[in-house]
Amino acid sequence: MHDEALTRWQRGWSASRGWTDFQRIDDVTVVRIGEPERRVEYVATEQHAIAAAHLALTDCNPPGTSWLTIAAGAAGRVAADLRPLEIVRTEWLMTVRLADQVSYPVPPPYSLELSATPSVIEAQVCGYGEIAATGRMAVLHTGAVADMIQTDPAHRCRGLARAVMTALAHAARCRSATTAYLAASPEGRHLYQSLGWTTLTPLLVARTSTP
């Protein structure tokens, strides 16, 4: 049901992180990350969770370094399908029409700067002599993916993440993007809901078991 949204999110997420090596195997997207703690990520819908689990359990990566992200409408059933993999957390795949995202200004005395590559826009909020909040948005054609929206603990509850999202959405729209996606943590989900984002499906994050 959410195949297209999941694919758009994965493409943008990969672009944001600089992960260019990915392919489809048995309806599972295999993202070769190559980091010591995360060698590979298998991304799939619920219907292909078992295929993704099989790929993770039979690859040659060290234990604990093969990860999965599964769009899981029925998280309990999918968790059972993924055994003996370790369930790490649940996130949520969310979306918004960029024109509908609620806007928030940068609160004084903070200032915001944008920088960009051909496919990724980065935002940085500074204040009191330090970096207070950051975020990025990958733009691929008419789709965009928000990623790594972070606020320093000393600067939270001041609307900085909302200001970052506002700036990123505006910049993405200037590049002709119309719809955005993201994977929200339990804490971040409330923030994005307040900006007008809607939840499409839970994302079950798992990995091969560590020794």
Side-chain angles (χ1 to χ4, degrees):
M1 179 179 178
H2 301 297
D3 293 33
E4 181 180 356
L6 184 67
T7 297
R8 288 190 171 210
W9 167 76
Q10 178 271 311
R11 296 292 191 269
W13 181 52
S14 295
S16 170
R17 305 293 177 101
W19 301 332
T20 59
D21 185 1
F22 54 84
Q23 67 178 122
R24 295 276 285 186
I25 299 177
D26 296 333
D27 295 307
V28 177
T29 300
V30 183
V31 185
R32 294 179 178 86
I33 297 171
E35 297 175 358
E37 303 301 320
R38 199 172 196 152
R39 299 291 182 86
V40 65
E41 184 96 21
Y42 300 100
V43 181
T45 57
E46 179 178 345
Q47 298 94 315
H48 305 294
I50 293 176
H54 175 74
L55 289 170
L57 291 168
T58 58
D59 66 23
C60 298
N61 295 315
T65 66
S66 294
W67 290 68
L68 296 86
T69 298
I70 307 297
R77 182 172 66 243
V78 173
D81 290 341
L82 296 181
R83 291 175 184 156
L85 296 170
E86 174 188 346
I87 305 302
V88 178
R89 61 182 177 270
T90 298
E91 298 179 346
W92 286 269
L93 180 62
M94 303 184 73
T95 188
V96 74
R97 286 184 67 250
L98 287 171
D100 296 337
Q101 180 180 276
V102 181
S103 296
Y104 285 87
V106 181
Y110 294 95
S111 61
L112 183 144
E113 294 183 2
L114 291 176
S115 59
T117 67
S119 59
V120 179
I121 304 161
E122 295 198 51
Q124 180 175 280
V125 174
C126 295
Y128 301 98
E130 58 187 5
I131 297 173
T134 57
R136 60 179 62 168
M137 185 170 278
V139 180
L140 303 175
H141 307 294
T142 59
V145 172
D147 185 36
M148 300 181 71
I149 311 301
Q150 300 172 345
T151 302
D152 185 276
H155 299 272
R156 288 177 181 167
C157 302
R158 302 181 188 183
L160 301 187
R162 290 181 172 86
V164 166
M165 291 294 293
T166 297
L168 291 174
H170 177 74
R173 290 182 67 193
C174 290
R175 293 189 176 198
S176 301
T178 58
T179 306
Y181 304 89
L182 58 77
S185 66
E187 299 81 10
R189 188 183 183 192
H190 300 293
L191 163 69
Y192 304 123
Q193 286 174 332
S194 74
L195 292 170
W197 290 65
T198 58
T199 300
L200 295 175
T201 182
L203 294 173
L204 202 61
V205 180
R207 66 180 178 182
T208 49
S209 299
T210 54

